[in-house]
Amino acid sequence: MNISSLIVYTDNKNESVKAEISKLKECEIIADADDRIVVVVSSNGIEDEIRNFKVIEAISGVVSVAMVYSYQEDAEENRQKLEESGKISEILMNDNVKAENIAYGGSVHYKVK
């Protein structure tokens, strides 16, 4: 069982966004105010957790979604699977790398309006 909490940022279409989120059986709306909705997601595994995140992200009126908390009963098993798959960047696996030595090269400009 995975439990996570999300903050869903909207473009003030909260009612239509809330209606769509309410259709998702694994999601429960806990609170909302202004352009934010707090959602708790209870899912069977990380794949379902990610699927719900992406479904909510794709709802019309959603600007962005932030995962604030995530609890995974099988976290260690998931970590081992990721490590074995080779899909985790080496920099994330090395405990000797200091955060201040990591350079971000992406772009968030598409999110700013």
Side-chain angles (χ1 to χ4, degrees), residues 56-74:
I56 292 171
E57 213 174 28
I59 294 172
S60 177
V62 171
V63 175
S64 67
V65 180
M67 184 174 290
V68 178
Y69 174 81
S70 180
Y71 167 78
Q72 300 174 5
E73 283 182 335
D74 55 356

Side-chain angles (χ1 to χ4, degrees), residues 24 26-27 41 43 48-56:
L24 303 172
E26 297 171 322
C27 299
V41 180
S43 52
D48 289 338
E49 185 177 24
I50 293 169
R51 180 186 48 77
N52 280 303
F53 186 95
K54 289 183 177 186
V55 166
I56 292 171

Side-chain angles (χ1 to χ4, degrees), residues 90-102:
E90 185 180 330
I91 200 166
L92 296 175
M93 301 293 292
N94 187 340
D95 292 334
N96 297 318
V97 176
K98 295 181 180 180
E100 59 267 17
N101 294 335
I102 300 172

Side-chain angles (χ1 to χ4, degrees), residues 1-3 43-50 70-88 93:
M1 171 66 69
N2 287 17
I3 299 171
S43 52
N44 291 323
I46 194 163
E47 293 83 9
D48 289 338
E49 185 177 24
I50 293 169
S70 180
Y71 167 78
Q72 300 174 5
E73 283 182 335
D74 55 356
E76 187 57 34
E77 180 183 324
N78 288 334
R79 180 179 178 192
Q80 288 175 348
K81 285 180 186 176
L82 282 171
E83 286 177 8
E84 291 168 5
S85 73
K87 293 182 180 178
I88 298 179
M93 301 293 292

